[in-house]
Amino acid sequence: MARVYNFSAGPAVLPEEVLAEAASEMLDYRGSGMSVMEMSHRSKPFGEIIENAEADLRELVGIPDNYRVLFLQGGASQQFAAVPMNLMKNRVADYIVTGAWAKKAFKEAKIFGDARAIASSEDETFSYIPDCSDLDVSPDADYVYICENNTIYGTKFHTLPNTKGKDLVADVSSCFLSEPVDITRYGVMYGGAQKNIGPAGVVISIIREDLITDDVLEGTPTMLKWKTQADANSLYNTPPAYGIYICGKVFKWLKDQGGLEAMQQRNQEKAALLYDFLDASKLFRGTVRKEDRSLMNVPFVTGDADLDAAFVAEAKAAGLENLKGHRSVGGMRASIYNAMPRAGVEALVAFMDKFEQAHK
C-alpha cells in the first residue's frame, strides 16, 4: 500500500506513527481484550487515557492551573453559540471578521446580543489581517473574538489584537499546537481537532476558570454550559472517546518531536519551501498579503480556472491529494499541518515546477 500526501484542510493528515500505534491496539488495548472504541468512558483504562491526554496537553502548551481543559463534542462550530451563551453578560461582544468561520461565529453571536464587527478584511476576499492595534472596542463588550488562523483564506494573526482589557476568545482550529503560545493572553481558546490534532468529532476548549460559571444566558442548554462539562471533567455524557484517545497519542508524538518550539521551526521551514517557490514562480501566485501568511494553509492560483483544474487533476494522479481550493477563493490550497512531512512539501514544489515548465 502506498500512502499519498494528503493536503486536505480537514479532516487532515495524521502522524503515521500515531496511526500505526492505534492500529496495533485496535483489537486489544493494552491487555483489556477490547478496543478503545468499545470500552466504557467510565472505565479505568479510559480514565487513564483522558487524564494522560490532558496532562500532556498542559505540558505542551504550558497551561496554568487556573485554566480548565475540556474535551467536547459538536466541533468548533457548536462553540459559535456556546461562547456568547456562556460569556455575553452585557449582551455585547466585538468580533474581528477575517474569514468564513469568524463570519459564521459573528452571525451566530448576533442571535444572542449586540455583536459588533469592529474590523474586517472581507473587502479584499479576506486576503489580509486588518490592523488591530487600536480598535473601537466597546466599553461594554464581554469579549473580543477572533479566528486566529483562517483555513480557507490562508491568513494568520501573527500579532494578537489589542483588546483594551477585554477577554480574548480565539478559534484556533487550524493552527493549534503548531507553535508555542502564551495561553494567559486568552480568556478562551478552542479548536476542532480534525485539522492539526486528531480525527473529527472532538473540540478542545481551554478556558480560564473564572469564566466558567452558572451565570449564563437564560435558555442555555445544559450540554452547552461550560460549567456542566467542567464539573464532570468532560464526562457529563459519553465523550468522543476514540477521538480523545487519538488526540492523546498526537500529544505524545509532539512531545517526542521536541515540543511546540521544534514544531514551529519545522513548520516555518516547510512553509518557506512553498512560499519561496510561489514568490519566484511566473505561473503560480499566492493570494495572501505576505506579512499575514499562514504556516498551515497556503492558497494559490494560476489565474486560469481551466489550468487550475488541470493542475489539481494531475497532482492527484501523482499522489498529491486534496489540493483543490475553496470555492470562495478558487485555485488550489495546500494544508501543511504538523503531520505533513517536509518530503510532502518537497514533492508538491517539485510537481509545481514540472507543471510550470510544461505550461510556459
Side-chain angles (χ1 to χ4, degrees):
M1 181 192 72
R3 293 269 295 171
V4 299
Y5 288 120
N6 177 15
F7 294 94
S8 172
V13 60
L14 285 166
E16 286 193 20
E17 299 94 323
V18 167
L19 295 173
E21 188 175 339
S24 73
E25 296 174 342
M26 177 58 76
L27 294 178
D28 180 6
Y29 176 73
R30 301 186 181 180
S32 67
M34 67 183 82
S35 171
V36 174
M37 284 187 180
E38 303 168 287
M39 66 177 52
S40 167
H41 61 296
R42 308 291 182 190
S43 67
K44 182 179 179 182
F46 185 75
E48 291 173 350
I49 287 170
I50 193 169
E51 288 167 14
N52 289 335
E54 178 174 342
D56 286 336
L57 179 59
R58 284 185 176 276
E59 182 182 340
L60 274 169
V61 179
I63 301 173
D65 290 342
N66 66 323
Y67 281 75
R68 296 296 303 270
V69 174
L70 304 180
F71 295 95
L72 306 173
Q73 301 184 61
S77 295
Q78 187 160 275
Q79 295 303 301
F80 296 169
V83 166
M85 284 178 167
N86 284 271
L87 296 184
M88 233 189 216
K89 320 297 186 187
N90 297 323
R91 299 288 181 122
V92 178
D94 289 342
Y95 280 67
I96 300 169
V97 182
T98 53
W101 303 113
K103 189 174 180 180
K104 287 184 177 182
F106 171 59
K107 181 180 178 182
E108 192 80 5
K110 289 176 76 70
I111 296 171
F112 303 101
D114 180 18
R116 305 164 64 238
I118 58 173
S120 173
S121 53
E122 191 168 11
D123 61 330
E124 295 184 22
T125 321
F126 299 122
S127 60
Y128 70 99
I129 297 293
D131 180 4
C132 296
S133 60
D134 187 22
L135 298 168
D136 182 25
V137 178
S138 170
D140 297 324
D142 293 299
Y143 58 89
V144 175
Y145 183 101
I146 63 171
C147 180
E148 192 163 326
N149 188 88
N150 295 285
T151 319
I152 291 173
Y153 300 95
T155 59
K156 169 75 162 64
F157 280 84
H158 294 295
T159 301
L160 293 178
N162 176 6
T163 64
K164 300 185 176 176
K166 303 299 182 182
D167 287 320
L168 178 64
V169 176
D171 175 355
V172 296
S173 293
S174 53
C175 62
F176 195 31
L177 303 187
S178 65
E179 60 186 7
V181 62
D182 179 2
I183 193 68
T184 65
R185 299 190 65 188
Y186 304 76
V188 179
M189 173 188 285
Y190 73 88
Q194 71 273 19
K195 299 179 185 300
N196 211 27
I197 306 171
V202 185
V203 59
I204 299 171
S205 293
I206 305 171
I207 308 169
R208 204 176 65 235
E209 211 156 33
D210 62 290
L211 300 178
I212 301 174
T213 70
D214 286 314
D215 182 17
V216 298
L217 295 190
E218 184 178 353
T220 297
T222 301
M223 285 288 291
L224 293 188
K225 185 177 173 183
W226 291 335
K227 195 168 188 302
T228 300
Q229 304 290 351
D231 287 350
N233 295 314
S234 302
L235 298 173
Y236 175 77
N237 69 322
T238 307
Y242 197 79
I244 294 169
Y245 158 77
I246 297 293
C247 288
K249 289 194 177 297
V250 172
F251 300 154
K252 288 192 183 299
W253 178 81
L254 286 168
K255 289 170 64 177
D256 290 343
Q257 303 306 303
L260 301 191
E261 291 81 4
M263 293 312 304
Q264 181 182 41
Q265 182 176 345
R266 283 170 52 172
N267 289 329
Q268 288 171 339
E269 291 171 357
K270 288 188 301 182
L273 287 173
L274 185 48
Y275 284 126
D276 287 350
F277 177 84
L278 286 171
D279 291 341
S281 174
K282 291 182 172 56
L283 177 64
F284 301 98
R285 66 173 179 85
T287 61
V288 172
R289 194 164 67 181
K290 285 186 179 181
E291 59 266 34
D292 299 324
R293 286 170 165 174
S294 166
L295 296 180
M296 298 286 96
N297 311 101
V298 184
F300 56 97
V301 297
T302 65
D304 181 320
D306 291 337
L307 202 56
D308 289 347
F311 175 86
V312 171
E314 291 179 28
K316 179 179 176 66
L320 307 172
E321 287 276 358
N322 296 310
L323 282 165
K324 185 177 180 180
H326 192 270
R327 60 186 176 277
S328 60
V329 179
M332 287 70 68
R333 173 180 52 178
S335 293
I336 51 176
Y337 298 124
N338 285 344
M340 173 59 66
R342 180 187 176 97
V345 181
E346 290 173 340
L348 172 60
V349 169
F351 180 82
M352 292 171 71
D353 184 51
K354 180 181 177 182
F355 188 88
E356 180 166 347
Q357 298 308 314
H359 293 85
K360 282 185 175 179

